[in-house]
Amino acid sequence: MKVDTKNNTKKTEKEIEKLLGKMTLDEKLSMIHGAAFFKSGSVERLGIPGIVTSDGPMGVREEFMSDRWFSAGNNDDNVSYLPSNSALASTWNPYMAYEMGKVLGAEARGRGKDVILAPGINIKRSPLCGRNFEYMSEDPKLTATIAVPLIKGVQENDVAACVKHFAANVQETDRLMVDEEIDERTLYELYFPAFKAAVQEGKSYSIMGAYNKVNGYHCCENKMLLDRVLRDEWGFDGVVISDWGGVHKTKEAAECSLDLEMSVFSDFENYNLANPLKEAIKKGEISEEVVDAKVRNLLRMMYRLKMIGKEKSARKPGTYNTPAHREVTLRIAEESMILLKNENQCLPLNASKIKKLVVIGQNAAKIHSNGGGSGEIKALYEICPLMGLKCYLGGNTQVRYVKGYYVPDKLKTFDHNWQADSLDDLSNSDVGMLTREDDSTQNAAHRRGEEERLANLEKEKEEIHEKNKALFAEAIEAAKDADAVIFVGGLNHDIDSEGFDRTDMKLPYEQDMLIEALLEVRKDLIVTFIGGSPVEMPWKDKAQAILWSYYAGMETGNAFAKVIFGDINPSGKLTETFPNQYEDCVTAKNGQFGVWGSIKLEEGLYCGYRYFDRQRIAPAFCFGHGLSYTQFTYSGLALKAEKGRDVKLTFTVKNMGKRMGAEVAQVYIAPIMPKVDRPNKELKAYTKVELAPGRSKKVTVTLKEEDFAYFDESLHNFIADAGDYEILIGASSEDIRLKGIATLS
Ligand code: GLC
């Protein structure tokens, strides 16, 4: 397939051809597969370095040994631990996404990396997906608007973003082999748009092929995905990197547009694109041309990164662990927190009136940076909520902390990294170094490991129940005698993790029982959570105040305290639906999630709020929901047809309260009598406005023709039918404040 290199200078293309012409087959092959776990092969003779990659979305991962899954044991690889992509997206602030990208890119460069394996932008199809914390939203438009500036920020540092995992990496169960059947319209309208924006607007220099299959073919060997869509339709001229172990077949991977094979095995010359490919070329089964195409893409990225060529000396040096980076991390954490409920102005607390504060719950004191799978971070530090509260209050307030509930200690009983077994049985059995097995052997081990893991979870429940008796009593007693009581619970990376999914959406460790008991003695209990995906809150009608935070990085505790005491007015909004119970979700109904072997995404476009809208199911908290300590009004919606088929909207948002605040005004389109089946409403734009008390701002948003379009499979293209569309302006997907009708010619 032709690679569209229009946005690449002719000069560079000529230099690429010149370099390529000098290379032997062995030299070319060395470039297209791992020569170490996180590095590709180099061609010293021609001054071509290996490409150094590193995880991940929340910062630059620690150094590992090159061919053993053991930490290098350095003491110079602590980094800024950034907010998760879920936390970042909850700010609904593209500018902060750009700021975070600049920090992530600078830290990657500072650590000598060429590619940062981030961001994660898969659609959150089910609240149970283990990696939801690494993804941004259930909505493609929101995901795209956060991913694009993030990628730009990263790449300003002469580091490549590697947007992942392409495509539709929607579950961790059977993640290496699960075959996902997805119709074309659903791919083009739901699972592709954020990747298309990342490539075409973000200009991502690289992209990572996912582990799973789509419509019968592994993503890293999928001609539809990598050749037709990515290269031919989207014009991607960057590098496709496999997920680590995502390549299964030499010929398929060689003859489709995968450029760099990475894996967790240390027999690098046995990788599919190494000796097996060399043999196939020697036998004339595969043309050497396919290798040239891959090397061209790799060299093109190297020129862009100033790794080679005349601009090499101008490459940005980057840096890591700077105060400025930590300031950005704090600001994002502050903006990411979501006030779900706040009756009787429970929040913010008045610090001057609190002489005795009781803090209950393990997430008050737990750090999260060192978990979650490949996104794990060796943080320079991490401020937990308890520390943040104490730092804020100082020594005149008595702060008493009680655990409240028991969390089993997942002691790591061996010294190699979990990733050594990540293609195998995930139970982290102490196999040390994996030896390459065939897919079915590996898959059987993987499945055994998962069954063992689930059995262990069941055993733990008895232990938790036993230990909770005393812990609950202590917490309830403590809660009775305090000026204020804050509960900090939720999830952690023993639950939110790469490699496996949750089996339900309930709070673990019997937290629900404790919260109910605490609410009995403290009607004003401040209920707060840290987690990577939605949880059920059966007691939510009894709670007056509920605050949610995703994993928000090293400054979480400081941001948490500033929101609790009102220095920061929360402005985060949900980027995914929080259902009342998992049974309300489409994946619970159709059973097409968390299944081994294959799943059929028969719900099509209808996941998240698209599903809850269509089925008229009330969620606990809807997509786009998030309260403030002040109130906003919306008025004066005016619509104006513009050139082409654009529609310009103007409306005014006013801060009616007594404190500064920021509001995310959301714009949804709702086709009236559409010719084809379409979601009731879809997010197409949003604006975050910061307003001083009493101030108002006139907001202008232009909807483009594409915002009205749906994908027509017969045309294999997007079309926007003429007709009437309701325009809904909302403070959330349900709290619609203004309505208008746009007529498309
Ligand atoms: C992991 C993950 C991917 C990560 C890669 C390298 O298995 O799926 O997100 O970047 O391998 O660690």
Side-chain angles (χ1 to χ4, degrees):
M1 77 311 315
K2 76 173 174 36
V3 173
D4 175 345
T5 61
K6 64 178 174 315
N7 55 4
N8 203 55
T9 62
K10 288 256 172 300
K11 188 167 55 67
T12 306
E13 292 306 315
K14 275 208 192 74
E15 292 193 18
I16 289 171
E17 286 315 312
K18 221 162 63 187
L19 259 182
L20 190 60
K22 295 176 187 168
M23 295 167 79
T24 65
L25 175 60
D26 281 347
E27 289 171 334
K28 292 185 228 177
L29 287 169
S30 73
M31 289 182 65
I32 65 173
H33 63 82
F37 288 149
F38 288 102
K39 187 175 180 181
S40 64
S42 58
V43 183
E44 307 298 332
R45 181 177 69 86
L46 297 171
I48 300 171
I51 294 167
V52 181
T53 71
S54 170
D55 290 306
M58 297 180 286
V60 186
R61 198 174 177 190
E62 69 176 305
E63 291 301 332
F64 284 95
M65 296 171 75
S66 61
D67 60 353
R68 314 268 300 151
W69 282 106
F70 295 103
S71 166
N74 298 347
N75 57 10
D76 59 6
D77 53 358
N78 299 74
V79 293
S80 300
Y81 164 46
L82 302 173
S84 61
N85 284 178
S86 282
L88 175 64
S90 301
T91 67
W92 292 61
N93 188 332
Y95 181 73
M96 291 317 290
Y98 172 62
E99 287 296 307
M100 181 156 127
K102 286 195 291 183
V103 170
L104 183 57
E107 300 236 341
R109 198 76 279 285
R111 282 275 306 281
K113 310 301 178 184
D114 302 312
V115 181
I116 185 79
L117 303 169
I121 66 168
N122 287 100
I123 293 299
K124 300 188 185 195
R125 172 177 177 250
S126 164
L128 303 187
C129 174
R131 295 188 84 166
N132 271 345
F133 73 96
E134 283 190 286
Y135 301 148
M136 294 180 176
S137 175
E138 66 192 28
D139 182 87
K141 171 61 81 175
L142 178 56
T143 302
T145 57
I146 298 293
V148 165
L150 194 157
I151 290 164
K152 287 183 172 172
V154 166
Q155 299 189 157
E156 276 184 14
N157 292 279
D158 297 333
V159 167
C162 184
V163 69
K164 69 188 186 183
H165 307 85
F166 188 60
N169 178 238
V170 295
Q171 69 172 46
E172 287 303 289
T173 305
D174 195 14
R175 69 181 185 142
L176 308 176
M177 301 301 284
V178 67
D179 187 1
E180 303 176 4
E181 186 183 335
I182 312 174
D183 67 272
E184 199 168 55
R185 182 178 175 199
T186 301
L187 281 171
Y188 277 81
E189 284 193 38
L190 197 60
Y191 295 102
F192 282 173
F195 284 102
K196 181 178 181 186
V199 160
Q200 293 192 332
E201 297 165 48
K203 304 278 181 245
S204 188
Y205 291 157
S206 70
I207 188 168
M208 187 187 291
Y211 277 131
N212 52 282
K213 294 176 185 173
V214 169
N215 295 338
Y217 297 91
H218 272 109
C219 288
C220 297
E221 304 161 351
N222 192 309
K223 281 192 170 303
M224 181 273 285
L225 290 178
L226 303 185
D227 296 0
R228 198 191 79 200
V229 174
L230 192 56
R231 303 286 184 185
D232 298 347
E233 291 179 8
W234 296 351
F236 180 61
D237 68 353
V239 169
V240 180
I241 302 177
S242 78
D243 201 340
W244 269 235
V247 173
H248 296 260
K249 295 186 187 126
T250 294
K251 186 168 174 57
E252 282 74 357
E255 293 181 344
C256 90
S257 192
L258 174 89
D259 301 307
L260 176 56
E261 176 190 7
M262 301 303 282
S263 188
V264 297
F265 300 108
S266 44
D267 56 342
F268 304 108
E269 289 316 310
N270 279 340
Y271 282 25
N272 288 280
L273 298 187
N275 287 338
L277 177 53
K278 183 176 177 179
E279 291 315 307
I281 291 172
K282 293 281 181 222
K283 290 182 202 151
E285 292 161 1
I286 296 177
S287 151
E288 185 166 340
E289 251 303 299
V290 302
V291 179
D292 293 352
K294 300 176 194 307
V295 171
R296 281 192 193 94
N297 293 333
L298 290 161
L299 291 174
R300 187 174 305 112
M301 182 173 78
M302 289 178 169
Y303 275 105
R304 284 178 172 150
L305 297 178
K306 305 187 181 84
M307 290 174 67
I308 53 177
K310 296 183 181 54
E311 295 188 275
K312 212 165 114 175
S313 58
R315 190 179 193 190
K316 296 256 177 69
T319 178
Y320 57 115
N321 292 329
T322 69
H325 291 177
R326 295 195 282 274
E327 178 57 30
V328 170
T329 302
L330 172 61
R331 282 178 52 206
I332 293 169
E334 290 168 350
E335 276 202 50
S336 71
M337 296 197 176
I338 302 161
L339 184 58
L340 294 176
K341 194 175 176 186
N342 190 26
E343 283 169 356
N344 309 330
Q345 304 314 311
C346 260
L347 283 174
L349 293 180
N350 181 339
S352 63
K353 294 206 172 116
I354 296 174
K355 289 296 156 247
K356 191 169 182 186
L357 174 67
V358 163
V359 180
I360 301 168
Q362 293 252 17
N363 267 354
K366 189 166 178 61
I367 65 157
H368 301 280
S369 49
N370 60 347
S374 59
E376 60 195 356
I377 292 296
K378 188 172 166 184
L380 185 65
Y381 63 82
E382 180 180 349
I383 308 275
C384 63
L386 180 64
M387 195 189 307
L389 291 166
K390 286 185 157 182
C391 294
Y392 184 94
L393 290 168
N396 295 336
T397 307
Q398 187 201 340
V399 178
R400 181 181 174 198
Y401 168 61
V402 289
K403 284 186 176 164
Y405 56 88
Y406 175 69
V407 175
D409 228 353
K410 302 267 185 184
L411 273 179
K412 302 239 183 308
T413 53
F414 38 82
D415 54 1
H416 69 264
N417 183 275
W418 67 277
Q419 201 150 355
D421 323 317
S422 66
L423 304 190
D424 198 322
D425 69 4
L426 283 181
S427 64
N428 285 333
S429 62
D430 192 2
V431 293
M433 300 323 292
L434 251 185
T435 47
R436 186 183 297 276
E437 306 272 0
D438 60 73
D439 282 349
S440 58
T441 311
Q442 252 178 26
N443 204 252
H446 190 163
R447 189 152 194 177
R448 262 197 321 278
E450 177 58 4
E451 280 151 12
E452 184 186 316
R453 190 186 70 82
L454 290 170
N456 289 339
L457 283 184
E458 279 313 303
K459 263 190 249 130
E460 276 176 0
K461 281 183 178 165
E462 291 143 34
E463 181 191 16
I464 289 164
H465 186 68
E466 227 9 75
K467 302 229 176 174
N468 274 351
K469 287 174 186 152
L471 288 169
F472 279 22
E474 180 193 31
I476 291 159
E477 210 40 50
K480 286 174 182 166
D481 169 27
D483 299 319
V485 182
I486 302 174
F487 175 84
V488 190
L491 304 172
N492 57 49
H493 284 309
D494 293 340
I495 294 155
D496 285 317
S497 173
E498 173 177 348
F500 48 85
D501 298 313
R502 285 191 292 170
T503 50
D504 64 52
M505 214 176 71
K506 298 184 183 342
L507 277 168
Y509 319 123
E510 299 182 330
Q511 289 176 68
D512 286 330
M513 289 161 66
L514 176 57
I515 293 168
E516 298 265 8
L518 289 171
L519 284 167
E520 283 301 307
V521 297
R522 295 295 303 225
K523 293 274 170 284
D524 61 347
L525 179 74
I526 308 293
V527 183
T528 72
F529 293 113
I530 292 180
S533 41
V535 296
E536 294 175 10
M537 303 182 198
W539 37 263
K540 74 169 167 49
D541 295 338
K542 297 177 200 152
Q544 296 187 34
I546 306 172
L547 179 70
W548 177 271
S549 173
Y550 285 97
Y551 301 114
M554 65 204 301
E555 287 286 339
T556 297
N558 287 331
F560 180 85
K562 291 170 84 175
V563 168
I564 288 285
F565 294 114
D567 292 27
I568 289 292
N569 184 355
S571 63
K573 299 264 184 183
L574 290 179
T575 69
E576 61 184 308
T577 303
F578 270 49
N580 274 307
Q581 56 263 330
Y582 178 59
E583 290 63 37
D584 291 346
C585 297
V586 68
T587 49
K589 300 236 171 74
N590 66 23
Q592 296 303 308
F593 175 84
V595 173
W596 290 74
S598 66
I599 52 175
K600 182 176 180 186
L601 279 61
E602 57 194 39
E603 76 278 1
L605 300 169
Y606 297 97
C607 78
Y609 70 88
R610 290 171 170 81
Y611 177 73
F612 281 79
D613 270 1
R614 174 53 55 91
Q615 301 300 324
R616 305 213 180 294
I617 299 171
F621 300 103
C622 69
F623 175 82
H625 171 73
L627 302 176
S628 169
Y629 291 149
T630 183
Q631 294 72 41
F632 298 95
T633 57
Y634 292 59
S635 60
L637 173 61
L639 301 152
K640 186 168 171 295
E642 292 276 291
K643 67 178 181 353
R645 302 176 82 192
D646 294 355
V647 176
K648 186 165 95 169
L649 324 172
T650 53
F651 57 92
T652 299
V653 181
K654 182 172 184 179
N655 179 350
M656 303 301 284
K658 298 185 178 51
R659 61 167 66 230
M660 168 76 81
E663 169 70 334
V664 178
Q666 301 151 44
V667 180
Y668 297 85
I669 67 153
I672 298 170
M673 307 289 283
K675 289 185 194 137
V676 298
D677 179 47
R678 299 185 69 174
N680 298 22
K681 65 167 163 303
E682 295 178 278
L683 178 76
K684 292 300 176 183
Y686 62 88
T687 302
K688 188 163 195 174
V689 284
E690 188 161 21
L691 293 167
R695 308 287 297 191
S696 58
K697 179 170 187 215
K698 185 171 181 181
V699 174
T700 301
V701 169
T702 299
L703 293 176
K704 318 291 288 176
E705 176 176 20
E706 70 205 38
D707 292 320
F708 295 90
Y710 65 91
F711 186 79
D712 181 312
E713 291 191 8
S714 59
L715 297 175
H716 192 72
N717 207 343
F718 281 89
I719 54 168
D721 285 339
D724 290 344
Y725 296 78
E726 215 176 6
I727 306 297
L728 310 172
I729 313 291
S732 80
S733 58
E734 285 184 355
D735 182 3
I736 302 302
R737 302 293 184 83
L738 300 169
K739 287 185 180 181
I741 304 277
T743 301
L744 225 51
S745 56

